[in-house]
Amino acid sequence: MAIELLPDWMTGLEEEDVSFIKKFILASGSLKEVAAQYGVTYPTVRLRLDRLIQKIRIGEDTAADPYIATIKRLVVNDKLDFDTAKLLIAEYKRTKGTDLG
């Protein structure tokens, strides 16, 4: 599958995310079955799904503002803490607002 054939929301996903989506679909959306396949608890799979949902939403926001989408993606991937992200986004918006005026 060529990258240019992927929908925009999928381009930011990692290979393991796509594998999870495949398992989820093949399990007919059963988180219990996916948990059994991975050998983890239901809450663990639920958290994984919630993070994947966040990644997809962030991917949809990328076109609107790639910088903010990147910051959000770093938070979702635990590479940046939430408070720092809020400060970076606020400063970016403030600077961007003053550049326009």
Side-chain angles (χ1 to χ4, degrees), residues 59-94:
E60 291 175 341
D61 292 343
T62 301
D65 195 317
Y67 177 82
I68 292 175
T70 299
I71 296 295
K72 289 179 179 179
R73 190 175 304 113
L74 289 170
V75 172
V76 170
N77 291 326
D78 291 327
K79 306 254 187 225
L80 185 66
D81 68 89
F82 183 73
D83 290 333
T84 303
K86 283 186 356 183
L87 289 170
L88 289 171
I89 290 171
E91 181 63 19
Y92 171 73
K93 286 181 176 180
R94 187 189 67 74

Side-chain angles (χ1 to χ4, degrees), residues 8-14 17 55 59 73:
D8 289 341
W9 63 268
M10 286 190 76
T11 58
L13 299 181
E14 298 171 11
D17 296 328
K55 284 184 180 182
R73 190 175 304 113

Side-chain angles (χ1 to χ4, degrees), residues 1 4 20-21 36 49 51 59 70 77 87 94:
M1 181 183 299
E4 55 269 11
F20 179 85
I21 292 169
L49 180 61
R51 286 182 179 236
T70 299
N77 291 326
L87 289 170
R94 187 189 67 74

Side-chain angles (χ1 to χ4, degrees), residues 14-21 23-24 31 34 38 40-56 76:
E14 298 171 11
E15 190 174 325
E16 66 186 44
D17 296 328
V18 176
S19 176
F20 179 85
I21 292 169
K23 285 185 182 207
F24 182 70
L31 293 179
V34 174
Y38 279 106
V40 297
T41 64
Y42 175 91
T44 300
V45 172
R46 182 70 236 185
L47 179 62
R48 174 87 185 266
L49 180 61
D50 289 341
R51 286 182 179 236
L52 187 53
I53 290 167
Q54 288 176 327
K55 284 184 180 182
I56 291 170
V76 170

